Amino acid sequence: MSDVLVRIAALHKRFGSNHVLRGINLEVARGEVVCIIGPSGSGKSTLLRCVNMLETPTDGKVFVDGVELTDPDCDLDRARTSTGMVFQSFNLFAHMSVLDNITIALRKVLKQDRATAADNAMKLLTRVGLAEKASSYPAQLSGGQQQRVAIARALAMEPKVMLFDEATSALDPELVGDVLRVMRELAEEGMTMLVVTHEMDFARGVADRVVFMDGGVVVEDGHPDQVIGSPREGRTKQFLANVRQRD
Amino acid sequence: MSLSRRQRLRLVRGGVYTATVAALVLILLAVDWGALGGALFKWEIVKDQFPDILTNALRNTVIFTIFGFIGGLSLGLLLAIMRLSSVKPYRWFAATYIEVLRGIPLLVTLLILGFGIPIATGWQWPNPYVQGSVPLALVASAYIAETVRAGIEAVPRGQMEAARSLGMSYTRAMATIIIPQAFRIIVPPLTNEFVLLIKDTSLISVLGVTAKTLDLARFGRNGVNDTANATPLVVAGLVYLALTVPLTQLAAWMERRSKAGRR
């Protein structure tokens, strides 16, 4: 797998005096699923948000499918259509039905007509098992259902890579499974995914690669069995020990 | 004293109630109701106010209010967006505009714009409606801008991020995602702004009016001059109430409903 889809080069991000990302280099191949793990405050969410430029990096470069998003002349609105993002807090549009949540960007950004957009949206809703909720409003859905709609909304744009920012962290434990199942299916279908997660079982079972971050740097990067199963670095061992203790 | 704390409290409260009732009774007895009624609510004069007070004065008040509100809302929305802009000069301009127009009494702004501008430039206002509505809208926009800004800021940040992550431009996200949600939040306070505007139109008559363009308040004042009786003003006051009370009640109801819906 030498076809690089996402390339992050020497990436730095500062918030004022807070140096959150300290020189990240990371490549994600087409079709690859990479899970990013690490303690809170390690910069993993910031890194993910730099990939679609929701955060502007202080220094360094980000490429998605050959397009440099960090180029000042880059048309970000256009570039962002190739990156789908799923947020911890779902962020469904509260004033719109489930169907409209999915069709709004199809119509306004991709300029699909209403019928085509609705058609595409229904296919995706069926895929995440929520076709019957098309006319519901986000507030009427459980967290797990909202997150599956959010995944469908991102997928509808036919992105080249999906970014998951702690997609299950805000969910009640019994709802996590449904969302992970959708993510697993997506991975099996060959979607390129960059997943920030605390779900070690998911990372181990689904990821092609696991990246452990701490203090704004990549500490360890390798096969899940290696990084999670037999970590080399002390910080990784410590983190995994803490996670296991919590479970 | 062997009274408990609770007994003492009850005694004090009873005393206050008794004193209040006694004062009210005294006032009611002291007032000459016949004379008061004759001066404030004389039935023949009340009848004389109609239908003109509705077909002319109320109509004008409503026209001033609606022009003022539409103008104020459009400009207020623009100012709110400027106030939240990342472009510093926009922010400064909006902030200054809002401070200045909220800091000057409406009466003074009306006089400056309504009279001062024509005197200074020789330019004449095309008609009394425009002359009255434009200053009203300019002042209203300063207040509405702050309301709208609060509404936009109340929409969770994630809504904008989700919209941008789907490839929407800032403007598109504002127009389709943020502002519609902000408006749901600010409908109650906006209704209250509308009520304030209804009442503020009563100041427009300082700019001078023709028989055709007088508003409710001026109509009442003219009536007082004509009849040497305060009844026309009281009737005008009642017509204002007929407009404002349903609206404030509506705003209160919407506010209760949105609080209940938020969980």
Side-chain angles (χ1 to χ4, degrees), chain B residues 100-128:
Chain B
V100 168
L101 278 131
R102 291 203 309 177
I104 300 173
L106 173 60
L107 182 58
V108 175
T109 307
L110 269 171
L111 291 170
I112 292 175
L113 294 176
F115 287 149
I117 299 282
I119 290 170
T121 63
W123 178 78
Q124 291 300 320
W125 291 93
N127 68 60

Side-chain angles (χ1 to χ4, degrees), chain A residues 127-130 142-149 151 164 167-168 171-186 202:
Chain A
R127 181 160 155 195
V128 299
L130 290 170
S142 73
Q145 291 171 330
Q146 288 190 53
Q147 194 61 299
R148 278 143 67 200
V149 173
I151 294 173
F164 291 87
T168 57
L171 296 175
D172 292 335
E174 77 271 19
L175 302 174
V176 170
D178 281 341
V179 173
L180 289 182
R181 187 176 45 72
V182 171
M183 289 168 65
R184 183 172 286 123
E185 286 168 9
L186 204 55
F202 177 84

Side-chain angles (χ1 to χ4, degrees), chain A residues 76-78 80-81 105 109 157, chain B residues 162-169:
Chain A
L76 276 182
D77 298 332
R78 194 191 161 105
R80 284 197 183 108
T81 58
V109 179
M157 302 297 287
Chain B
R164 298 306 301 275
S165 79
L166 291 166
M168 289 190 207
S169 66

Side-chain angles (χ1 to χ4, degrees), chain A residues 33-222:
Chain A
V33 177
V34 175
C35 281
I36 305 175
I37 60 170
S40 60
S42 58
K44 50 195 193 309
S45 283
T46 306
L47 173 63
L48 200 69
R49 292 162 58 84
C50 282
V51 174
N52 66 353
M53 298 289 281
L54 280 186
E55 302 289 355
T56 311
T58 313
D59 197 16
K61 288 180 175 179
V62 174
F63 297 86
V64 174
D65 202 24
V67 176
E68 187 194 339
L69 276 73
T70 38
D71 181 348
D73 289 331
C74 176
D75 178 356
L76 276 182
D77 298 332
R78 194 191 161 105
R80 284 197 183 108
T81 58
S82 57
T83 58
M85 187 171 230
V86 177
F87 300 85
Q88 181 177 353
S89 49
F90 327 135
N91 297 346
L92 291 184
F93 304 134
H95 62 307
M96 291 181 177
S97 71
V98 163
L99 188 73
D100 289 344
N101 258 278
I102 302 176
T103 57
I104 184 79
L106 295 180
R107 285 165 42 212
K108 304 285 182 185
V109 179
L110 299 186
K111 310 290 178 199
Q112 295 181 2
D113 64 65
R114 195 176 278 271
T116 313
D119 224 44
N120 289 334
M122 285 314 296
K123 275 182 204 141
L124 281 157
L125 279 175
T126 309
R127 181 160 155 195
V128 299
L130 290 170
E132 79 281 10
K133 299 285 185 192
S135 56
S136 300
Y137 279 80
Q140 299 167 310
L141 304 182
S142 73
Q145 291 171 330
Q146 288 190 53
Q147 194 61 299
R148 278 143 67 200
V149 173
I151 294 173
R153 178 176 69 177
L155 284 177
M157 302 297 287
E158 300 188 352
K160 291 174 179 136
V161 55
M162 285 285 285
L163 312 170
F164 291 87
D165 187 6
E166 302 196 20
T168 57
S169 298
L171 296 175
D172 292 335
E174 77 271 19
L175 302 174
V176 170
D178 281 341
V179 173
L180 289 182
R181 187 176 45 72
V182 171
M183 289 168 65
R184 183 172 286 123
E185 286 168 9
L186 204 55
E188 282 160 7
E189 287 161 25
M191 174 60 79
T192 311
M193 293 163 62
L194 198 49
V195 184
V196 169
T197 186
H198 291 294
E199 300 286 335
M200 292 305 141
D201 292 340
F202 177 84
R204 197 155 185 182
V206 179
D208 298 305
R209 246 169 73 211
V210 170
V211 171
F212 173 70
M213 279 181 70
D214 192 19
V217 295
V218 172
V219 176
E220 212 165 334
D221 178 350

Side-chain angles (χ1 to χ4, degrees), chain B residues 26-117:
Chain B
L26 269 174
I27 291 169
L28 291 176
L29 290 176
V31 167
D32 179 348
W33 288 103
L36 202 64
L40 290 180
F41 207 74
K42 199 170 184 186
W43 191 242
E44 299 86 75
I45 301 179
V46 172
K47 279 189 293 189
D48 280 349
Q49 304 308 305
F50 293 91
D52 254 23
I53 194 169
L54 299 182
T55 56
N56 189 16
L58 174 63
R59 179 176 152 271
N60 287 328
T61 289
V62 168
I63 288 174
F64 283 129
T65 307
I66 287 179
F67 282 166
F69 190 71
I70 291 174
L73 188 60
S74 321
L75 192 57
L77 186 59
L78 183 70
L79 284 165
I81 292 169
M82 287 173 77
R83 191 91 158 73
L84 293 169
S85 164
S86 54
V87 184
K88 273 185 188 158
Y90 288 168
R91 283 209 305 272
W92 291 334
F93 174 82
T96 310
Y97 179 98
I98 291 166
E99 277 305 309
V100 168
L101 278 131
R102 291 203 309 177
I104 300 173
L106 173 60
L107 182 58
V108 175
T109 307
L110 269 171
L111 291 170
I112 292 175
L113 294 176
F115 287 149
I117 299 282

